[in-house]
């Protein structure tokens, strides 16, 4: 069986339109990464996992993600085909490993879109409840007939609206996304500008109350906090998935990845330091930590503004991830591993219409019917799994094709950095609950079954 047959994507001319620059890519990355992580998970991470030492957890996660970003940058400059990690692995390790990577990306992004839509609906329901409005039980919760609940309507409507936006011209959709990103940063600017004057350094006195934690199998501590905060950086890889619509991808993709990741890391560190300085870490285990901290110091107007912007923030994550996921499905379909109909693009705007609609429908089903528990861990474990495969692929790329040319990006310290990345990823994976591993195992089995039932026979390389 030819499970490791390879393709050469440079020989395939993409019908998508190249019109995105570095600024577009940076906003795409920021739209994906700056969301629930900074507004919610920073507070819970400090309260439950690491205390004020969560800033060290963030730095560890940023180093792990930064190393991986170097791999993405080299692959993007040397293997500039659409599909991101899926395409890179296809050209180095072969078809079956590439399918696994593509499947994990689909699981990661589809579940992310669904969970963010559910989070948005939760915020909006809170606003409605404050006005004395409650939706009928039948359309106000995930499937549970005993409670009279059959579907959660609001998340479905959110995904429907986002799918409609992503079906527009790519430039228009990303301009709307960029406008929301600017609004999001205005809320964070208010928090930083005001909060810095209310820091009580005494709140940092017990800096690492849960200790360093365990390298493997820990549940609390700085390392466990790093495994949680890894979730906050997910989405940076969406930049590489837009490669067929980027002008000069060999130069602009590495710039977009590295610049957006650097901005987000600095932002997370500053926000976490101010947050844990404003209030004792034990008080931050709430869903709206940033807004909560502002209200606790008597600035209700600022807290309310942050809450409203946080709701819009979730929309930007949905847009960025739906955009990236549709391009991944398009690429896999173009290679024959999924039905070819998913690789059709619109005549006018050159958007992968069928792939976008399919992604939207699946995300709507997940968001409206299934309860999404332990979602951050499932997203992270799928991501870590394919990043391990990518690290192996980089070593293979260097072995097969040698060092990059002067015009291509070069990852330093290969194979040391890829091996270090694998060790870090395995350490972070070991922090997750048993139920997360069960979900990961079941999804992997389903993905393998799809490949052998459909993909292996219908692949272009077959």
């Amino acid at each position: 069986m030819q499970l490791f047959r390879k393709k050469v994507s440079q020989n395939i001319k993409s019908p998508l339109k190249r019109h995105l620059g570095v600024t577009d890519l940076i906003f795409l990355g920021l739209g994906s990464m700056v969301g629930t992580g900074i507004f919610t998970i920073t507070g819970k991470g400090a309260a439950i996992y690491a205390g004020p030492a969560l800033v060290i957890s963030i730095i560890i996660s940023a180093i792990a993600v930064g190393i991986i970003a170097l791999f993405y940058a080299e692959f993007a400059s040397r293997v500039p085909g659409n599909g991101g990690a899926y395409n890179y692995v296809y050209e180095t390790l072969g078809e079956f490993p590439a399918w696994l990577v593509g499947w994990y990306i689909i699981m990661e992004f589809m579940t992310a879109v669904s969970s963010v839509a559910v989070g948005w609906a939760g915020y909006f329901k809170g606003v409605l409840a404050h006005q004395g409005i409650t939706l009928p039980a039948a359309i106000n919760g995930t499937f549970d007939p005993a409670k009279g609940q059959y579907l959660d309507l609001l998340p479905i409507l959110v995904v429907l609206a986002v799918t409609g936006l992503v079906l527009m011209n790519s430039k228009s959709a990303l301009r709307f996304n960029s406008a929301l990103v600017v609004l999001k940063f205005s809320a964070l600017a208010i928090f930083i500008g005001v909060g810095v004057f209310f820091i009580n350094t005494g709140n940092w006195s017990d800096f690492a109350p849960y200790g360093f934690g365990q390298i493997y199998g820990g549940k609390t501590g700085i390392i466990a906090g790093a495994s949680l905060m890894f979730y906050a950086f997910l989405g940076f890889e969406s930049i590489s998935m837009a490669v067929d619509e980027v002008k000069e991808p060999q130069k602009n993709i590495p710039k977009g990845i590295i610049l957006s990741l650097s901005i987000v890391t600095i932002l997370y560190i500053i926000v976490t330091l101010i947050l844990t300085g404003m209030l004792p870490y034990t008080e931050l285990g709430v869903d709206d930590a940033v807004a909560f901290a502002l209200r606790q110091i008597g600035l209700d107007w600022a807290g309310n503004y942050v809450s409203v912007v946080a709701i819009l923030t979730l929309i930007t994550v949905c847009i960025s991830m739906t955009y990236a996921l549709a391009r991944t499905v398009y690429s896999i379909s173009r290679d024959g591993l999924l039905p070819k109909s998913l690789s059709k693009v619109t005549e006018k705007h050159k958007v992968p219409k069928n792939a976008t609609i399919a992604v939207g429908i699946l995300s709507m089903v997940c968001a409206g019917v299934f309860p999404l528990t332990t979602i951050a861990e499932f997203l992270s474990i799928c991501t870590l799994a394919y990043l391990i495969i990518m690290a192996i692929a980089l070593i293979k790329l260097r072995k097969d094709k040698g060092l990059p040319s002067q015009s291509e990006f070069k990852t330093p310290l290969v194979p040391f950095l890829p091996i270090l990345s694998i060790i870090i990823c395995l350490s972070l994976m070991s922090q997750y609950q048993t139920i997360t591993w069960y979900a990961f195992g079941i999804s992997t089995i389903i993905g393998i079954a799809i490949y052998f039932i459909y993909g292996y026979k219908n692949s272009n390389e077959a």
Side-chain angles (χ1 to χ4, degrees), residues 24-46:
D24 297 306
L25 296 178
I26 291 173
F27 275 101
L28 178 62
L30 295 179
S32 297
M33 288 185 279
V34 182
T36 52
I38 202 162
F39 286 107
T40 299
I41 293 182
T42 46
K44 291 194 173 182

Side-chain angles (χ1 to χ4, degrees), residues 391-435:
I392 297 170
L394 182 65
I395 296 173
K396 186 71 163 56
L397 178 69
R398 286 290 185 89
K399 181 181 178 182
D400 293 346
K401 298 186 178 182
L403 293 171
S405 67
Q406 288 187 345
S407 63
E408 296 171 335
F409 186 90
K410 179 184 176 183
T411 302
L413 301 175
V414 175
F416 171 74
L417 278 186
I419 293 171
L420 177 61
S421 173
I422 292 169
I423 293 170
I424 292 173
C425 287
L426 288 172
S427 172
L428 295 178
M429 290 173 77
S430 75
Q431 310 289 322
Y432 299 135
Q433 303 174 62
T434 304
I435 190 172

Side-chain angles (χ1 to χ4, degrees), residues 253-328:
I253 293 286
K255 288 180 182 177
I257 291 174
I258 292 170
L259 288 173
S260 62
L261 188 60
S262 300
I263 293 169
V264 168
T265 301
I266 294 169
L267 194 61
Y268 267 87
I269 290 172
I270 292 173
V271 168
T272 302
L273 278 173
I274 293 175
L275 195 60
T276 54
M278 289 172 67
L279 296 175
Y281 70 90
T282 53
E283 297 179 14
L284 296 174
V286 294
D287 289 334
D288 55 347
V290 172
F292 174 78
L294 289 170
R295 292 191 184 105
Q296 288 297 102
I297 60 173
L299 297 178
D300 287 351
W301 66 269
N304 292 336
Y305 180 73
V306 168
S307 293
V308 171
V309 171
I311 294 174
L312 296 174
T313 292
L314 300 179
I315 298 294
T316 69
V317 178
C318 281
I319 293 171
S320 298
M321 293 202 166
T322 300
Y323 175 91
L325 179 54
R327 271 67 185 168
T328 300

